[in-house]
Amino acid sequence: MASPNPTLEDWIRSSASAMEEAGLCFGHGTDNAIDEACWLASSVLGWPPDFDASRFTHELDPLQQTALHRVLEERLRTRQPLAYLLGEAWLAGLSFEVNDQVLVPRSPLAELIVNGFEPWLTPGQLRRAVDVGTGSGCLAIALAHPHPDVEVDALDISAPALALARRNVARHGLTDRVSVLESDLLSAVPSRRYDLILSNPPYVPSASMVDLPAEFAHEPRLGLEAGADGLDLVRRLLVQAPEHLTEHGILVCEVGEAAEALQALLAPQVELIWLEFTHGGDGVFLLDFCACQAAADLLMV
């Protein structure tokens, strides 16, 4: 006699179909409905996100079905990013506590962190880094976690974000190497120089905010909107950066859809290096110390 209980694969396929029919956006940790359903299931069932494929044949008991449907229905009804409903997100293979006071971790900068920023920095050159606009602290933690010789300052202007970042730093046992500081960009560290300035600042142009999918409305506007062209904070960061880089240091910054505006602003005087990613993502530029100085000089005229 066939079991009345659906398998995990059955549930994932039906849930993915429901998500697609509802027109959900998958830009907060996954990029498709199947992966979103798998992530939901693994978290609710207490499994690792990369659970073995053999578990797709697992038969869901009534309690498991109820728990899964509860989260699915809330995702469909509220359009909140799944990470907020679960209270957890993953980046660079690490788990982070998240809430609606910070953006959901999803930056392609994680790929650069995993690759150690080679060839632009050698392992011996990276000793001190700063994450500007740290939010949950995910990038700062991902940077420090595999590199025991690296010290990172994690900066943000938001008090709720800083509180969350401190919890994540403690969660990963990195309080001795990751310092969480309240700062408007780099203003709170006037005398410090870094081998790496890393930033995923707000970069959504004001006019584009109304066109974002409903999921983005649950994220803090402070972490998204950045003026008419999306460059309000990036301009200020570029002016500050030369005073905070070592001679071999680099600035790596994500500007997303504001990339075209930044290129128009700085070219041809400043040559921006636009980075490519194996796992998707764009709108990330790199400048070395000399190029940062040139950009600052241009913007201060």
Side-chain angles (χ1 to χ4, degrees):
M1 180 177 178
S3 170
N5 295 326
T7 66
L8 177 63
E9 182 177 1
D10 294 334
W11 186 88
I12 286 173
R13 293 192 181 282
S14 65
S15 299
S17 294
M19 292 180 188
E20 290 174 341
E21 290 174 6
L24 298 189
C25 170
F26 306 107
H28 294 84
T30 68
D31 62 5
N32 63 82
I34 289 289
D35 285 351
E36 185 107 341
C38 287
W39 176 22
L40 189 162
S42 67
S43 181
V44 171
L45 297 175
W47 298 346
D50 57 347
F51 60 85
D52 189 85
S54 63
R55 296 207 183 192
F56 284 116
T57 60
H58 169 79
E59 293 185 359
L60 299 168
D61 64 39
L63 288 177
Q64 290 175 326
Q65 293 177 56
T66 297
L68 289 168
H69 281 298
R70 183 182 300 116
V71 179
L72 174 62
E73 288 303 313
E74 189 171 6
R75 177 77 173 94
L76 295 171
R77 177 176 57 83
T78 68
R79 296 288 296 266
Q80 290 187 65
L82 180 59
Y84 290 159
L85 301 178
L86 302 175
E88 180 184 44
W90 291 78
L91 192 78
L94 301 174
S95 168
F96 299 96
E97 177 189 348
V98 295
N99 58 36
D100 62 5
Q101 297 300 307
V102 300
L103 299 188
V104 176
R106 55 183 179 271
S107 175
L109 294 172
E111 184 176 319
L112 300 174
I113 290 173
V114 170
N115 293 336
F117 293 91
E118 295 184 5
W120 299 281
L121 288 174
T122 66
Q125 288 179 318
L126 182 54
R127 287 289 181 267
R128 191 165 189 85
V130 61
D131 175 21
V132 182
T134 197
S136 64
C138 59
L139 293 176
I141 292 164
L143 182 59
H145 191 272
H147 304 295
D149 296 328
V150 176
E151 295 183 356
V152 186
D153 288 337
L155 312 181
D156 208 292
I157 198 171
S158 165
L162 292 165
L164 180 60
R166 291 188 180 102
R167 292 199 297 274
N168 277 321
V169 169
R171 176 180 185 169
H172 288 281
L174 291 169
T175 53
D176 59 331
R177 292 194 293 113
V178 178
S179 300
V180 180
L181 305 170
E182 182 175 350
S183 182
D184 180 6
L185 299 180
L186 291 160
S187 61
V189 289
S191 61
R192 297 187 188 179
R193 288 190 178 266
Y194 302 95
D195 307 306
L196 170 66
I197 298 175
L198 188 66
S199 187
N200 179 16
Y203 56 70
V204 180
S206 298
S208 297
M209 291 293 293
V210 296
D211 297 323
L212 293 176
E215 281 81 356
F216 290 88
H218 294 279
E219 294 191 292
R221 197 177 185 96
L222 180 67
L224 293 170
E225 187 175 5
D229 61 0
L231 297 176
D232 280 6
L233 278 82
V234 174
R235 285 189 188 85
R236 293 174 52 213
L237 181 60
L238 287 170
V239 169
Q240 294 178 3
E243 297 300 319
H244 294 276
L245 279 176
T246 59
E247 289 187 358
H248 65 261
I250 57 173
L251 166 68
V252 179
C253 182
E254 181 176 349
V255 292
E257 68 176 283
E260 186 176 344
L262 183 64
Q263 183 71 27
L265 179 67
L266 298 181
Q269 294 93 329
V270 179
E271 184 176 354
L272 293 152
I273 299 174
W274 294 102
L275 304 180
E276 297 181 357
F277 298 92
T278 303
H279 304 296
D282 54 21
V284 176
F285 72 88
L286 181 150
L287 294 175
D288 62 16
F289 174 80
C290 291
C292 273
Q293 187 64 67
D297 292 343
L298 181 63
L299 293 172
M300 287 189 293
V301 171

